[in-house]
Amino acid sequence: MLWALFFNAFLAASLWPLGVEPLYIYTLQEHNIWLCLLIAGTGNSLGSIFTFCMARYFPGRGKLMDKLGAKSKHFQKVMTRVNQYGHYSALLCWLPVLGDIIALALGFSKSKAYSSFVFMSVGKFARFALINAVYLKVI
């Protein structure tokens, strides 16, 4: 079950349209909340880091940008904000759908990798910690 949580969290933070919350809450019922937080936070952080690296280091970056619609008006707005706030915008990578776009924009804009990774991870772990807090209050 924990491997499934890790891979689901990883894929949910990449460009696959998945949600990790239902599996995360189900896993909380079976396992320690701190272990679930560690596994889901790590998988989700690595998924965003993968998306960032794909946008930054992929040899066919131009083709990748075209396929992902990077020239669209919406993406250009995100790029403007990412350029304005830099690696701090990585704190918002936890957001559904928009977080993946932010990770891509950070990679395309060649934001500082290490700082972006740290801020991505902080946002991701905070999100799962909040889910843990809500889960504990409900039970």
Side-chain angles (χ1 to χ4, degrees):
M1 176 62 71
L2 294 175
W3 281 106
L5 176 62
F6 176 84
F7 286 117
N8 184 262
F10 180 90
L11 290 174
S14 66
L15 299 175
W16 290 86
L18 294 174
V20 68
E21 292 83 4
L23 182 59
Y24 184 74
I25 292 169
Y26 178 77
T27 307
L28 283 175
Q29 298 170 12
E30 303 289 323
H31 297 282
N32 180 294
I33 62 167
W34 300 110
L35 181 60
C36 291
L37 174 71
L38 178 67
I39 290 172
T42 301
N44 216 233
S45 297
L46 289 174
S48 285
I49 289 168
F50 174 78
T51 301
F52 174 97
C53 290
M54 184 176 64
R56 182 152 182 191
Y57 303 114
F58 187 68
R61 281 175 35 111
K63 288 181 184 176
L64 179 66
M65 287 180 79
D66 290 341
K67 286 191 185 244
L68 296 174
K71 294 188 173 131
S72 71
K73 194 180 224 182
H74 178 69
F75 189 79
Q76 291 306 315
K77 285 171 119 176
V78 173
M79 283 293 289
T80 301
R81 294 289 182 214
V82 164
N83 288 330
Q84 181 180 1
Y85 296 108
H87 55 266
Y88 296 110
S89 57
L91 281 169
L92 298 176
C93 282
W94 65 270
L95 292 169
V97 181
L98 185 60
D100 302 338
I101 296 169
I102 292 171
L104 273 173
L106 285 164
F108 285 136
S109 68
K110 299 198 178 206
S111 180
K112 296 178 184 176
Y114 180 76
S115 301
S116 295
F117 298 165
V118 168
F119 285 118
M120 281 178 193
S121 298
V122 167
K124 300 287 187 169
F125 276 90
R127 169 185 169 204
F128 289 111
L130 180 63
I131 293 171
N132 283 354
V134 170
Y135 176 76
L136 289 175
K137 299 251 186 213
V138 170
I139 291 186

